[in-house]
Amino acid sequence: MSTKKTKVKIKAERPTPAQTEARMREVAAWLHDKQARNIVALDVAGLCDIAEGVVLATAGSVRHAQALADHVLDMCGRADGVYLGMEGYQAGSWILLDLNDVLVHVFQDGSRSFYNLEGLWAEAREVELALPGAAAGDGLGDLDDLDA
């Protein structure tokens, strides 16, 4: 008989829809804190096998995208949040953060329009975000008034 022990990963319980929405709003606020633009949260439960929610944001540069990803990871650590992985950090045109139930996509403008994830998840319900000082959908808030 073998005495070899095997480590078994036990998947965490699936969060409730309310917990997922709260998590998406929290992540959106973190992105907004660092001047991400056009922040959108989508409820993809039932449409996607790997996540319950998706948060999309646009960065102004590669360095800005990397700073946004760093900030989300830092805040996850502070909030004892789950972080499973990241892709695209070095190139910075599209950074994907896997927070277990929520996927975070940080894009450059051209990449976001090219991949059009909002179109891919057109059937998903958009989660309303109450970001401080932000005009609906653009993440810029009162900055829009500067052009007037």
Side-chain angles (χ1 to χ4, degrees):
M1 186 157 103
S2 174
T3 60
K4 186 177 178 181
K5 293 185 179 182
T6 306
K7 290 185 179 181
V8 178
K9 284 188 176 181
I10 299 173
K11 186 170 173 134
E13 287 185 31
R14 179 166 278 186
T16 66
Q19 289 170 323
T20 298
E21 276 197 29
R23 181 74 162 163
M24 286 191 287
R25 286 187 180 104
E26 181 177 47
V27 169
W30 295 339
L31 292 165
H32 179 73
D33 288 345
K34 295 296 180 186
Q35 288 78 43
R37 295 180 286 122
N38 198 17
I39 303 168
V40 176
L42 302 172
D43 179 354
V44 296
L47 301 173
C48 178
D49 293 334
I50 61 171
E52 305 297 313
V54 173
V55 177
L56 308 165
T58 302
S61 66
V62 170
R63 198 171 278 240
H64 185 213
Q66 292 167 337
L68 290 169
D70 289 340
H71 184 63
V72 169
L73 294 181
D74 181 49
M75 296 305 291
C76 274
R78 291 179 188 194
D80 292 326
V82 176
Y83 162 72
L84 299 179
M86 176 170 45
E87 294 292 330
Y89 184 86
Q90 291 300 320
S93 63
W94 176 7
I95 300 174
L96 170 66
L97 301 166
D98 185 347
L99 307 181
N100 190 28
D101 59 325
V102 175
L103 296 177
V104 181
H105 299 270
V106 179
F107 289 100
Q108 300 297 305
D109 279 318
S111 295
R112 184 160 180 175
S113 60
F114 180 79
Y115 290 105
N116 188 22
L117 293 188
E118 287 95 336
L120 176 68
W121 299 114
E123 295 177 29
R125 179 180 63 82
E126 187 169 345
V127 175
E128 189 166 331
L129 302 173
L131 299 173
D138 71 359
L140 295 176
D142 295 331
L143 295 178
D144 293 329
D145 297 335
L146 296 176
D147 294 332

